Amino acid sequence: MTGALYAVSDLHVSYAENRAVVDGLRPETADDWLIVAGDVGEVFADVERTLRLLRDRFARVVWAPGNHELWTHPNDPVTLRGVARYDALVAMCRELGVLTPEDDYPVWRGEGGPVTVAPLFLLYDYSFRAPGTTTKEESLRAAYDAGVVCTDEMMLHPDPYPDRESWCAARLEVTRRRLEATDPALPTVLITHWPLVRQPTEVLWFPEFAQWCGTDRTADWHVRHRAAVAVYGHLHIPRTTHYDGVRFEEVSLGYPREWRRRGGEPAPMKRILG
């Protein structure tokens, strides 16, 4: 098997400038795979259109949801909330031939393989608390006082769970069981929208935002589940770091005002393996 395994996230195609960037995402060979680690867009039809375009170009597309896909946006005619919205996104991906966290994990057998490619949907539970706080309530209060509040608080509904941390706990349990059932002889590529460890959030300009960025309960998953690479997005800070000897790749495009500051034309696809 030739080709390479690429990754990107946070395409945010509601912006015309980002749609133009997406139009330039093309494989180098017919065997290339593309990981899309969440935040394609907020409107269901935009997510479908973008994933369809990418699936028509790449040999395989692997998607994990971000928070924006899970929003029930006032401009979206699809008014599903919570688990029902996620299930509809999964059904749409299956119609397109895009792999999701609910499908069998594929094995990449190209250069750098074989590895199990595992898209994960985990959410967050407010355990990355704001500095100086010890409870969720204190952490949220600090964020509101600082004027740093994630739009999830208004648009990401956890139905039928009572709150997002309960939904997160359920996702962690089902995902842990699935990862423990993978071939122990193979390393993994773990794909999440929210980082598995807290360290990447330490460079945020607004540390209060970290509480919407993951959970302490995955702090050792990159070691426990044999990660060769951990891919994530959400922070809009594309970079390569290493934790416990494991390579972490943040693969966000981000908003136009962000990628323009980096200079030049954005080339957000990151080669992960191959």
Side-chain angles (χ1 to χ4, degrees):
M1 181 177 176
T2 59
L5 177 63
Y6 291 94
V8 72
S9 75
D10 297 80
L11 294 172
H12 295 291
V13 298
S14 61
Y15 293 89
E17 301 95 323
N18 284 24
R19 292 196 296 274
V21 173
V22 170
D23 192 54
L25 298 181
R26 298 180 183 275
E28 294 187 5
T29 78
D31 290 329
D32 290 348
W33 290 19
L34 180 64
I35 292 164
V36 182
D39 278 11
V40 175
E42 300 82 31
V43 175
F44 197 98
D46 287 348
V47 178
E48 180 175 13
R49 187 180 307 111
T50 303
L51 290 178
R52 183 187 301 276
L53 180 149
L54 296 173
R55 180 63 187 89
D56 287 344
R57 294 177 178 176
F58 289 83
R60 178 162 282 181
V61 173
V62 181
W63 168 82
N67 53 315
H68 282 235
E69 286 102 335
L70 299 172
W71 286 358
T72 305
H73 197 283
N75 295 333
D76 192 348
V78 178
T79 58
L80 296 169
R81 294 162 58 113
V83 173
R85 185 173 183 88
Y86 174 62
D87 289 346
L89 287 162
V90 169
M92 175 267 287
C93 285
R94 286 174 169 169
E95 287 185 10
L96 299 178
V98 171
L99 293 177
T100 79
E102 306 312 308
D103 298 311
D104 292 339
Y105 298 147
V107 176
W108 167 260
R109 299 189 183 278
E111 185 179 347
V115 298
T116 300
V117 178
L120 314 178
F121 170 37
L122 302 177
L123 275 169
Y124 53 85
D125 62 4
Y126 301 90
S127 54
F128 292 178
R129 294 192 176 114
T133 67
T134 58
T135 67
K136 173 190 172 183
E137 292 73 22
E138 289 178 348
S139 188
L140 278 173
R141 190 179 310 118
Y144 276 89
D145 288 346
V148 180
V149 180
C150 184
T151 307
D152 291 6
E153 294 297 310
M154 285 67 77
M155 292 192 193
L156 203 167
H157 305 288
D159 311 24
Y161 293 96
D163 46 44
R164 282 175 286 277
E165 54 265 46
S166 298
W167 193 4
C168 174
R171 292 303 312 178
L172 288 167
E173 180 59 23
V174 69
T175 305
R176 178 189 59 78
R177 291 198 302 266
R178 290 198 63 201
L179 287 172
E180 288 176 351
T182 59
D183 185 345
L186 295 184
T188 61
V189 174
L190 299 180
I191 303 157
T192 58
H193 181 65
W194 301 271
L196 291 173
V197 297
R198 179 165 187 164
Q199 289 94 316
T201 70
E202 293 171 355
V203 298
L204 290 173
W205 286 355
F206 301 104
E208 297 86 359
F209 190 77
Q211 60 197 294
W212 292 282
C213 294
T215 168
D216 286 341
R217 293 176 62 184
T218 59
D220 68 345
W221 278 30
H222 57 296
V223 176
R224 178 183 299 184
H225 300 300
R226 311 176 307 282
V229 189
V231 176
Y232 68 98
H234 191 54
L235 305 184
H236 296 193
I237 307 172
R239 60 179 181 151
T240 303
T241 53
H242 293 79
Y243 307 107
D244 303 303
V246 176
R247 175 163 56 104
F248 278 66
E249 296 284 1
E250 212 276 23
V251 295
S252 298
L253 171 61
Y255 301 126
R257 67 178 183 273
E258 294 168 328
W259 54 256
R260 285 197 185 104
R261 284 200 299 263
R262 300 175 203 138
E265 290 298 316
M269 275 198 333
K270 177 75 174 184
R271 187 188 294 260
I272 304 302
L273 294 173

